[in-house]
Amino acid sequence: MDRLWWHFQQLLKIDAMNLVILVIVVLIGWTIISETIPNPARYLPSPLAVSLSSVDMLVKGLLPSYYSDTLVRLIIGSSIGLAAGIPFGLLLGLNKTVADMFHPMMNFFQSVSGIAIFPIVVIWWGNSDTTVLAVILYTSFFPIAFNVLSGVREIPIRYVNAARTMGASKYQIMKDVLFPGAMPHIATGSRLSIGFAWRAVIAGEMLAGRQGLGWMIFTGQDADRTAEVILGMVMIGLTWIILDHYLLRPIEADTIERWGLVQR
Amino acid sequence: MTTAVGNLSIAIQRRFGRQRLRKIILGSIPFAVMITIWHANTVFEWLPPVFIPPIGDVWEAIFFLQEDCAGFVALVMLDNSCLITTHVFSSIGRVILAAIVGLPLGIAFGILCGMSRTLSKFLEPVGVFANSISGIAWIPLAIVWFGVGWVTTLFIMLNTIFWLMFFNSMLGVRSVAKVYEESVLTMGGSRWDVIKQVYLPGAMPSIITGMRMSMGFGWRALIAAEMIGGDSGLGFMIFTSAAEFKIEEVFLGVIFISIIFMATDKYLLAPLEKWTVERWGLVWRPT
Amino acid sequence: MNSMTPKLVVEGLTHYYPDEYTGESVHALEDINLELYEGELVSVVGPSGCGKSTLLNILAGLLPYKIGTASVDGNVIHGPGPDRGVVFQEHAILPWRTVAKNIGHGLEIRKVPQAEREKRVQEFIDLVGLTGFEDKFPHELSGGMKQRCQVARTLCSDPVVMLMDEPFAAVDAQTRITLQEELNRIAMATHKTILFITHSVEEAAFLADRCLVFSARPGRLKEIVEIGIPREQRNWTNMNDNAIFIAARDRILASVREEVSIAVEE
């Protein structure tokens, strides 16, 4: 018995094994709850029901299509947001007076959540893809631009002065001093922006979409197909974990390690 | 007269410092330009008033929405005739309620998990997963469970706050060096002493940062929840106004949301964070 | 050595700037006149706040001035330019560039071809004694090495005048002595025209051909002390016994102390 317990403890030390045990425990607990409550199909379908519905949606081809819709929206929206936001932040930071001038305004816009401006945008463009994209763009542009601007403002003035005394032009200062100096902020800001964009995609699809994961969980609730709602939630959670933990966080950590030498 | 103005400007400069005064003035220029352009749009109608309402209309919307309000008692009782105050108060009420319940709960569980390796082994992945189902994705399920209304919106905000708080407190406790714990224990301190004197102050900067973060995310999630699954609050107000194409009410709501959020962050959470990091920061950063 | 055309000329330079907090006008410099000839090392000393850093910033082109003129090689100074190299007080080498890339930065800005750039960079790395550290990042270097790197970066651009703003103030005493001897050697080897700002009287007397003493604010040129010691004889083992050095040092010290006491009384 003791030996068995020891083996069990050894198993616990392996992270993957932990995760498997955890998932099994959660699934069993979930099944038990689902079996005991009245009307589980409406309130909490069992894991089995959820996986059956996922098979169903896979066969119909709905799940892959919704999933790719959401991902494409995220990728397009956040890449445009980042591609515009990074140079914009750098340009504002080029001149100290301009930087001081726009800092409060950028701070204001990055704090106003994209979801809050959604009703305005929906009056402008109705329930359409443009509306969803506009909200995503808004939510990803301002956090990155604000972060880059803050990053540039934190670069010690002596670095800029040193480059100026060597005869560097505005463009060379931007390329050789401001851009690398703001690198850690660019990395952090990008992760923040993409995180906000991801939430905006889901919210936007719920409110004004025609397809996508957000649309799927919203209509699932409307049509009393709770299994689809839970399936969508699991997909949303898993996607963000993979994106954040295996792509964005490592990139951010590497960048800060490589370029974050500004802090003494 | 001119000397009076000059004296005043010198007094202001002495009080705030020339640099800060310069920043305040510079920083207000873009806002002034924005408002001017907004007003110019009303005059020249580049974009029709259905898309961009005149500033005057937005201002008048406050009084229009409050028109039927039957005095102070009705206002405090959240009477439905006092439209704007009812929505503002019900949003703020949910924020306060969620903060009172969610923050301590998250902190307590976070500290507990931070202390126990075995517990955190299991609960950390749960936390990661829960944080990844970014608040708003819970809205449809919450509607199924609780229907449209107060409970759903409160649940969404609580859920967002709790997991962020949980996670930050756990990481905060873990970053506290083991030596401090051991030193308290060797001096005959109890487990409770360790929590009170080592973990709580050690994790404080991380906890406060988590607080600021969770209120930010929570407030965003709340607005979304009110839009989709609420029957009151600023999010609900701007959403229904948009459906009726009353754009001046939408603008009013968005301005209220931004001001309330920014004021809380700037005058409550940010100073709190700065103060804690300065006060306890040394404990937190071992390097 | 002192050929007839000076490399750096300052005439009647007077400067005011607004105080950061009160906005009141501060009189920093009053009627500064000076000439630097080729190959000369001139140091500037004076009490804190006497405007010596202001003077350097004006010469570097980082601070606009209105009254008087300043020119290098006959060209009036309007903003920064590669004809003046600056070694800053704090480590102003870029933390995300390696030593070699930092030293070659000025040439890179002027779009010098890579092959030539690398050759010149190596030359100056060897000159300042950073051989073997080419691919290190600044945070891997000691304080003294960072300042060597700054000196090499400045020299590599081959400026007409090198301006140094208390470059050895932030390093420890041992390193400072070594760096002073190194700078003396480099000045000898490159024959550069150097303006050296410092608050250390010893350092000024050790390095300079001429030492300019500034008065307390507003900074005026109070006194010029000539130190006629050949560069070959300047090292710390000899200097402490050198009568010219001791006389010059005491003269400068007395002059500066007079100004400090005036500043304190005010």
Side-chain angles (χ1 to χ4, degrees):
Chain A
M1 190 62 205
D2 269 4
R3 195 154 181 78
L4 210 78
W5 179 237
W6 183 83
H7 274 292
F8 181 65
Q9 279 186 322
Q10 287 306 104
L11 275 181
L12 275 187
K13 282 180 185 152
I14 309 162
D15 266 9
M17 210 53 222
N18 258 334
L19 209 62
V20 171
I21 292 172
L22 179 72
V23 170
I24 291 170
V25 168
V26 168
L27 287 181
I28 291 172
W30 177 359
T31 313
I32 291 170
I33 295 172
S34 154
E35 289 300 320
T36 46
I37 56 166
N39 199 357
R42 176 168 163 76
Y43 289 107
L44 188 70
S46 66
L48 190 69
V50 173
S51 34
L52 282 179
S53 105
S54 76
V55 171
D56 182 47
M57 293 201 79
L58 271 174
V59 171
K60 284 185 193 155
L62 281 175
L63 192 60
S65 126
Y66 282 165
Y67 192 65
S68 57
D69 277 336
T70 301
L71 272 190
V72 166
R73 282 204 178 103
L74 175 74
I75 292 167
I76 292 178
S78 53
S79 12
I80 298 177
L82 294 186
I86 295 172
F88 188 73
L90 284 175
L91 274 176
L92 287 189
L94 210 50
N95 181 299
K96 197 176 164 350
T97 313
V98 177
D100 285 347
M101 202 154 106
F102 281 93
H103 196 256
M105 192 194 212
M106 297 302 285
N107 190 15
F108 176 78
F109 279 116
Q110 71 112 25
S111 335
V112 178
S113 74
I115 296 164
I117 65 145
F118 175 83
I120 297 178
V121 183
V122 93
I123 289 181
W124 291 350
W125 288 300
N127 284 355
S128 65
D129 279 349
T130 321
T131 301
V132 181
L133 195 67
V135 172
I136 302 168
L137 268 181
Y138 178 93
T139 27
S140 55
F141 176 82
F142 284 104
I144 183 70
F146 178 71
N147 263 278
V148 174
L149 179 61
S150 306
V152 169
R153 274 159 56 99
E154 273 174 34
I155 296 172
I157 189 74
R158 58 177 191 271
Y159 293 143
V160 178
N161 278 345
R164 283 174 67 197
T165 57
M166 287 188 283
S169 64
K170 284 264 175 198
Y171 168 72
Q172 279 165 329
I173 288 176
M174 187 157 137
K175 179 172 71 78
D176 291 349
V177 183
L178 302 186
F179 184 67
M183 237 357 184
H185 279 81
I186 291 175
T188 310
S190 301
R191 195 165 83 85
L192 196 72
S193 272
I194 296 173
F196 280 134
W198 175 245
R199 287 169 170 80
V201 176
I202 304 298
E205 284 175 350
M206 280 196 224
L207 289 161
R210 290 278 173 274
Q211 307 97 14
L213 289 178
W215 169 252
M216 177 178 138
I217 60 175
F218 188 63
T219 47
Q221 173 261 320
D222 232 18
D224 233 353
R225 292 194 298 263
T226 310
E228 278 176 27
V229 177
I230 294 178
L231 175 67
M233 286 170 67
V234 173
M235 300 286 292
I236 290 168
L238 283 180
T239 309
W240 183 245
I241 289 182
I242 292 167
L243 204 63
D244 194 44
H245 281 252
Y246 296 103
L247 190 71
L248 302 178
R249 267 174 210 266
I251 292 177
E252 186 189 2
D254 280 0
T255 317
I256 290 178
E257 199 185 332
R258 167 77 178 78
W259 300 96
L261 316 159
V262 187
Q263 298 100 324
R264 279 168 291 174
Chain B
M1 188 60 203
T2 36
T3 47
V5 173
N7 286 343
L8 184 70
S9 100
I10 287 172
I12 294 172
Q13 283 184 11
R14 286 244 166 82
R15 171 72 181 77
F16 295 110
R18 197 180 147 85
Q19 284 299 321
R20 256 193 78 192
L21 186 72
R22 178 178 162 273
K23 273 182 191 163
I24 293 170
I25 292 170
L26 273 178
S28 47
I29 291 173
F31 288 101
V33 171
M34 197 169 71
I35 290 170
T36 314
I37 293 176
W38 184 4
H39 185 64
N41 181 64
T42 312
V43 177
F44 299 107
E45 293 214 4
W46 298 311
L47 286 168
V50 202
F51 286 165
I52 304 278
I55 298 180
D57 285 12
V58 176
W59 174 251
E60 274 161 24
I62 303 179
F63 305 102
F64 176 71
L65 288 168
Q66 278 306 84
E67 208 171 43
D68 299 326
C69 191
F72 185 69
V73 177
L75 192 143
V76 176
M77 296 300 289
L78 300 186
D79 193 291
N80 274 337
S81 54
C82 311
L83 274 170
I84 187 88
T85 36
T86 304
H87 290 313
V88 170
F89 286 152
S90 72
S91 278
I92 293 180
R94 267 184 286 254
V95 171
I96 294 173
L97 205 60
I100 291 175
V101 180
L103 297 179
L105 220 58
I107 295 170
F109 272 91
I111 290 182
L112 220 61
C113 283
M115 282 165 60
S116 157
R117 281 269 150 203
T118 356
L119 209 58
S120 74
K121 251 182 200 163
F122 286 106
L123 283 177
E124 193 184 337
V126 177
V128 169
F129 192 72
N131 268 325
S132 304
I133 307 178
S134 49
I136 45 171
W138 280 91
I139 296 173
L141 195 60
I143 295 175
V144 170
W145 286 348
F146 309 115
V148 167
W150 256 86
V151 187
T152 294
T153 44
L154 191 64
F155 170 80
I156 296 300
M157 176 131 194
L158 259 178
N159 187 42
T160 313
I161 289 183
F162 175 81
W163 289 109
L164 277 167
M165 213 52 248
F166 166 80
F167 220 73
N168 269 280
S169 316
M170 186 176 75
L171 293 182
V173 167
R174 263 200 225 156
S175 69
V176 178
K178 203 93 184 134
V179 215
Y180 300 126
E181 183 195 341
E182 282 160 359
S183 74
V184 171
L185 286 176
T186 51
M187 286 185 285
S190 65
R191 215 75 198 117
W192 178 237
D193 286 324
V194 174
I195 294 178
K196 237 175 20 184
Q197 288 155 21
V198 179
Y199 289 135
L200 204 57
M204 209 34 114
S206 181
I207 288 174
I208 300 289
T209 307
M211 242 183 230
R212 195 175 166 199
M213 218 164 96
S214 58
M215 291 315 278
F217 278 100
W219 183 242
R220 277 156 221 254
L222 179 71
I223 299 299
E226 286 175 349
M227 283 190 203
I228 304 167
D231 57 0
S232 66
L234 286 166
F236 173 76
M237 179 192 131
I238 55 176
F239 195 62
T240 44
S241 298
E244 295 163 14
F245 289 95
K246 291 179 187 157
I247 192 137
E248 67 283 352
E249 291 182 18
V250 179
F251 266 64
L252 183 69
V254 173
I255 292 171
F256 264 107
I257 292 171
S258 323
I259 291 176
I260 296 172
F261 174 71
M262 285 202 71
T264 336
D265 190 66
K266 189 165 178 187
Y267 297 108
L268 190 70
L269 299 172
L272 195 66
E273 184 179 13
K274 190 166 170 267
W275 181 80
T276 2
V277 170
E278 272 165 18
R279 172 83 174 72
W280 302 101
L282 291 175
V283 188
W284 184 38
R285 288 182 197 137
T287 42
Chain C
M1 187 167 103
N2 289 4
S3 61
M4 281 302 103
T5 49
K7 287 286 167 194
L8 175 79
V9 180
V10 177
E11 276 172 342
L13 184 68
T14 300
H15 190 73
Y16 299 84
Y17 64 88
D19 183 87
E20 190 155 315
Y21 290 99
T22 62
E24 283 154 22
S25 186
V26 177
H27 193 172
L29 295 170
E30 170 62 37
D31 192 27
I32 304 290
N33 294 288
L34 62 93
E35 288 178 341
L36 253 70
Y37 293 92
E38 187 167 8
E40 210 180 14
L41 198 160
V42 173
S43 64
V44 177
V45 288
S48 310
C50 72
K52 41 189 200 294
S53 284
T54 307
L55 173 68
L56 187 125
N57 280 331
I58 288 174
L59 296 181
L62 296 171
L63 200 64
Y65 61 97
K66 294 195 189 91
I67 307 160
T69 54
S71 58
V72 168
D73 249 357
N75 304 313
V76 176
I77 293 169
H78 294 295
D83 53 345
R84 286 146 288 143
V86 186
V87 177
F88 292 89
Q89 184 173 4
E90 284 160 294
H91 317 303
I93 43 177
L94 299 178
W96 46 82
R97 282 176 169 249
T98 60
V99 167
K101 286 220 133 209
N102 259 302
I103 294 176
H105 195 191
L107 300 179
E108 208 180 303
I109 285 170
R110 274 152 51 193
K111 302 193 172 62
V112 174
Q114 196 180 353
E116 193 191 329
R117 201 165 71 212
E118 276 169 10
K119 201 175 127 260
R120 278 182 63 82
V121 166
Q122 196 55 53
E123 186 185 315
F124 285 99
I125 283 175
D126 294 341
L127 178 75
V128 299
L130 280 175
T131 319
F133 290 91
E134 289 86 348
D135 297 324
K136 291 267 187 277
F137 283 94
H139 69 101
E140 297 169 291
L141 303 180
S142 68
M145 281 162 133
K146 282 181 197 165
Q147 286 310 66
R148 284 165 198 259
C149 182
Q150 254 208 91
V151 171
R153 176 176 72 175
T154 309
L155 288 173
C156 197
S157 297
D158 195 24
V160 179
V161 199
M162 179 151 89
L163 308 167
M164 304 181 83
D165 186 10
E166 304 193 20
F168 308 146
V171 296
D172 63 87
Q174 279 304 317
T175 314
R176 193 177 308 142
I177 286 173
T178 324
L179 287 175
Q180 286 160 357
E181 289 181 339
E182 287 281 287
L183 181 64
N184 181 51
R185 183 177 60 76
I186 290 166
M188 214 158 38
T190 58
H191 209 65
K192 271 281 165 244
T193 313
I194 301 170
L195 185 73
F196 191 97
I197 308 273
T198 177
H199 61 250
S200 155
V201 171
E202 288 229 321
E203 187 170 82
F206 177 79
L207 284 167
D209 297 307
R210 274 191 299 154
C211 177
L212 315 180
V213 182
F214 270 36
S215 70
R217 195 153 63 200
R220 281 190 203 85
L221 194 48
K222 183 189 177 201
E223 189 176 355
I224 299 176
V225 180
E226 300 261 356
I227 305 147
I229 309 169
R231 295 233 159 260
E232 298 78 27
Q233 288 174 27
R234 297 189 187 214
N235 60 61
W236 280 113
T237 25
N238 293 342
M239 279 300 232
N240 283 325
D241 304 324
N242 189 317
I244 307 176
F245 169 73
I246 292 168
R249 184 191 65 190
D250 293 349
R251 177 102 198 81
I252 300 166
L253 192 62
S255 192
V256 172
R257 287 182 86 164
E258 212 177 280
E259 287 308 315
V260 173
S261 62
I262 292 171
V264 169
E265 271 165 32
E266 278 174 3

